[in-house]
Amino acid sequence: MKVDKEKLNVNDTVFVSKPVLVGYNTYFRYHIIREERITRITPKRTKIETDKGIYEYSAPFVIPDEKDIRENNIARAFLSISSTLKLLNKQNISLYTDDEIMSMYEIAKQLKEIIDTHNAK
């Protein structure tokens, strides 16, 4: 649900919907919803400044519902998985302890099952 920007005031808390960049000019299907506090509004209300950025009047301020919260959680999980995979690709796994390798193996088996199930569809 969109917010009526005419009713916003300085120090109000707003939720901003932001797209999740996957690659060059490619976005994930859901957005991240971030809580921000308004610090300044221009006199003509063409720009709204928050503690985390400056937005044009058409900024994606939202009132999150259950669906938005669920999609936000999925988008955050997507980012976490992506960053973990990038980090894992840079690691020399042979330097980990035997217990760490076995723990990672258990997680890797579960991931492989999910991937195999998805690819079988």
Side-chain angles (χ1 to χ4, degrees), residues 10-94:
V10 172
N11 290 324
D12 281 356
T13 297
V14 292
F15 295 91
V16 179
S17 178
K18 303 260 238 188
V20 176
L21 186 63
V22 175
Y24 178 74
N25 217 15
T26 308
Y27 295 92
F28 187 61
R29 62 184 165 266
Y30 301 131
H31 289 203
I32 293 282
I33 297 173
R34 189 166 72 179
E35 187 174 311
E36 302 182 14
R37 187 178 57 78
I38 296 175
T39 56
R40 181 175 173 270
I41 300 174
T42 58
K44 292 184 180 180
R45 301 180 89 72
T46 55
K47 291 185 182 174
I48 297 173
E49 188 174 326
T50 71
D51 54 345
K52 296 181 181 167
I54 299 173
Y55 301 94
E56 297 295 320
Y57 187 77
S58 61
F61 296 117
V62 296
I63 300 171
D65 58 15
E66 282 184 37
K67 178 180 172 257
D68 294 329
I69 292 168
R70 179 181 174 282
E71 290 175 358
N72 172 62
N73 292 338
I74 293 168
R76 288 184 186 278
F78 172 83
L79 286 174
S80 177
I81 293 166
S82 294
S83 65
T84 301
L85 290 175
K86 286 176 188 172
L87 181 63
L88 187 59
N89 283 333
K90 294 179 183 179
Q91 298 295 307
N92 182 351
I93 297 182
S94 65

Side-chain angles (χ1 to χ4, degrees), residues 110-121:
Q110 293 173 352
L111 285 171
K112 186 171 180 338
E113 285 177 22
I114 294 170
I115 292 167
D116 288 346
T117 302
H118 174 79
N119 288 337
K121 291 180 182 177

